[in-house]
């Protein structure tokens, strides 16, 4: 394991965002801010909070075949943070949800593209929202502790977000919804 400056900082923050060997530093506080991108065959990771890290070096790609990190970081055109940016694998690439919008990774172009959105996504918050992929319906399911039991389905081909109104949601307290399958 590589360590970096100020490794023992409260939430793992490092002002330089890299280890002494120049590799990206990944905080241990990043619960669901990584996903496998099946198109590039790379693991994509959101490294840090932009307040404590190099602003243009936030997302990183790890190549399991090479056993090393890609040389260039992936810039983010959206607000990001390792405790609020959720990444999810889908057959057509990794998707990021920053609690506001959905983005698909195009690693060949080294960029995130905003997904079309009709409807409203639930609110996100630090460690309080989660996302999973529903293979049988080609959709994302989005959960939020602030939505108190509501589940929003995002139809990927249609670009439409629709609340599902699950039975019993009115009895749900506003609990963290970050652990979802």
């Amino acid at each position: 394991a590589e360590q970096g400056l100020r490794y023992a900082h409260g939430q793992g923050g490092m002002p330089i965002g890299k280890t002494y060997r120049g590799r990206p530093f990944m905080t241990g506080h990043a619960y669901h801010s990584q996903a496998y991108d099946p198109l590039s065959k790379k693991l994509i990771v959101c490294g840090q909070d932009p307040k404590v890290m190099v602003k243009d070096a936030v997302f990183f790609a790890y190549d399991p075949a090479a056993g090393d990190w890609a040389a260039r970081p992936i810039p983010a055109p959206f607000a990001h943070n390792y405790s609020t940016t959720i990444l999810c694998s889908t057959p057509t690439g990794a998707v990021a949800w920053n609690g506001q919008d959905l983005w698909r990774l195009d690693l060949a172009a080294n960029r995130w593209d905003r997904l079309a959105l009709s409807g409203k996504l639930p609110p996100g918050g630090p460690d309080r929202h989660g996302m999973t992929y529903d293979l049988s319906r080609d959709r994302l399911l989005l959960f939020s502790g602030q939505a108190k039991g509501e589940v929003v389905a995002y139809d990927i081909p249609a670009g439409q977000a629709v609340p599902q109104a699950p039975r019993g949601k009115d009895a749900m307290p506003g609990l963290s919804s970050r652990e979802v399958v």
Side-chain angles (χ1 to χ4, degrees):
E2 295 183 52
Q3 306 297 334
L5 297 171
R6 292 179 60 192
Y7 177 74
H9 180 271
Q11 296 297 324
M14 284 183 24
I16 61 170
K18 294 186 177 187
T19 67
Y20 287 112
R21 293 179 60 197
R23 292 181 169 186
F25 173 75
M26 302 299 132
T27 176
H29 191 63
Y31 302 105
H32 296 293
S33 59
Q34 60 274 325
Y36 182 71
D37 181 54
L39 301 180
S40 65
K41 296 181 173 45
K42 309 276 190 298
L43 175 69
I44 309 303
V45 180
C46 177
Q48 291 268 334
D49 182 318
K51 294 187 295 292
V52 297
M53 190 165 183
V54 178
K55 303 276 187 272
D56 62 347
V58 176
F59 288 90
F60 301 93
Y62 179 79
D63 184 343
D68 205 356
W69 296 94
R72 64 181 182 160
I74 307 159
F78 53 88
H80 54 276
N81 181 304
Y82 60 88
S83 68
T84 58
T85 301
I86 307 296
L87 298 182
C88 185
S89 297
T90 76
T92 54
V95 172
W97 176 33
N98 65 341
Q100 300 165 357
D101 298 301
L102 294 168
W103 302 80
R104 179 175 315 283
L105 178 64
D106 179 345
L107 193 56
N110 205 48
R111 71 171 189 246
W112 291 95
D113 296 322
R114 186 187 309 236
L115 291 174
L117 176 62
S118 170
K120 188 175 178 186
L121 301 176
D127 302 329
R128 298 190 51 83
H129 63 288
M131 172 173 60
T132 191
Y133 178 69
D134 176 358
L135 178 64
S136 64
R137 294 171 190 86
D138 194 21
R139 66 183 184 173
L140 295 166
L141 297 174
L142 299 102
F143 301 79
S144 170
Q146 297 175 35
K148 298 189 177 179
E150 182 59 82
V151 178
V152 173
Y154 175 78
D155 182 305
I156 295 174
Q160 185 174 22
V162 178
Q164 300 300 290
R167 190 174 45 232
K169 78 175 191 103
D170 296 333
M172 285 292 296
L175 299 174
S176 173
S177 298
R178 101 181 161 212
E179 313 300 336
V180 298
V181 288

